[in-house]
Structures are given as structure tokens and as C-alpha cells.
Amino acid sequence: MSVIHPNHELVALGIRQPWAELILRGTKTVEVRTVDTRLRGTIYVYASKKLAEHPAAATAIREHRLDVDRLPRGLLVGTVDLVATRACEPEDAARACLRRADVTDRIGWCLENPRRLPQPLPVRFLPYGIWFYPFRRK
């Protein structure tokens, strides 16, 4: 599916770096959250302004040789399809770039088909929760 950007109908999910980059690379295929969602389909990936502070983020940066100073922040960086959610299993740790202990009693949001935008896009409206519409008020 080809999406014309900016798409005012797409909702965005704020994700801190390096996680946003790893999603776009197709390395991180499970987003781990404490809450479930009914939302399915294509969503924007918004690279939050702050870097992830989780210890696994530093490990991921090293393992994937990411230059965090060059990673876009505070911008829409791509889209991904949210295809399912379910209780995390121990095997999801690798898919989420986390440790096994980090997925215990959590919900895994299954991601497929990441697409990087040709150019990161600034948003018109800033995130105010888990989901937000970057180009219109809801």
C-alpha cells in the first residue's frame, strides 16, 4: 500500500529512539506495552524527542552500532502495520530487543511492514498520550 504523506487520517504512536529506528529497520517487530489496544492497521511512527532510558536501549545502540546523535527525534519517521496484540511470551524479548524479564506480564503489539518516510516530517500537533493525530485535532 502506498501512502501519500502527510496523511491526516493516520494516527501516530510516540516511540523513543533507538526503538523507532529499530522498528523501521524491521529488527524490532514487537512493541512492549502495559496496556492493550484495539487499533489495527497502518500507523505513523513518531520518534519522540527523548531517548529511551531503559538499560536495554544502551545495549541495542551498541549491538546495532547506532549513532544516536544522528537519529531523528521529534519527527514522524515512518509507518508500520499494527497487526495484532497478545500477552508477551519469553521469545518476544528478542523480537522487542529487550531482556526476558522486560516482557513478563506485558502486552506485545505485533508490527509488520515498516516503511521509512523519504524525509522525516514535523508534526502539527504534539503527542498528548499513547496515540495522537499529528496533522489534525481529533
Side-chain angles (χ1 to χ4, degrees):
M1 170 176 92
S2 178
V3 178
I4 298 171
H5 299 284
N7 183 333
H8 294 247
E9 301 308 310
L10 282 187
V11 67
L13 175 64
I15 302 174
R16 292 184 180 193
Q17 293 286 22
W19 309 131
E21 177 63 24
L22 293 175
I23 288 170
L24 292 180
R25 290 182 178 199
T27 303
K28 181 175 170 45
T29 58
V30 173
E31 173 67 8
V32 175
R33 297 283 171 148
T34 58
V35 297
D36 203 347
T37 182
R38 292 184 192 174
L39 188 85
R40 299 291 184 271
T42 301
I43 60 171
Y44 274 122
V45 176
Y46 173 78
S48 300
K49 292 180 181 182
K50 289 184 172 185
L51 284 175
E53 297 173 353
H54 194 284
T59 301
I61 289 166
R62 275 193 316 278
E63 288 180 358
H64 297 280
R65 298 185 178 122
L66 299 175
D67 181 351
V68 293
D69 294 328
R70 299 191 70 164
L71 295 177
R73 287 189 258 167
L75 298 165
L76 293 175
V77 293
T79 61
V80 70
D81 297 336
L82 175 53
V83 297
T85 63
R86 56 178 169 67
C88 282
E89 301 168 355
E91 304 80 42
D92 287 326
R95 296 179 193 119
C97 302
L98 296 170
R99 301 170 302 161
R100 282 185 175 223
D102 298 325
V103 302
T104 303
D105 298 325
R106 298 289 189 259
I107 304 296
W109 296 6
C110 303
L111 308 173
E112 293 180 358
N113 198 21
R115 298 166 300 280
R116 190 181 301 272
L117 294 175
Q119 183 76 25
L121 293 174
V123 299
R124 184 167 176 210
F125 300 103
L126 292 174
Y128 49 83
I130 293 177
W131 302 106
F132 73 103
Y133 286 90
F135 301 110
R136 68 177 171 98
R137 291 196 189 275
K138 179 69 178 165

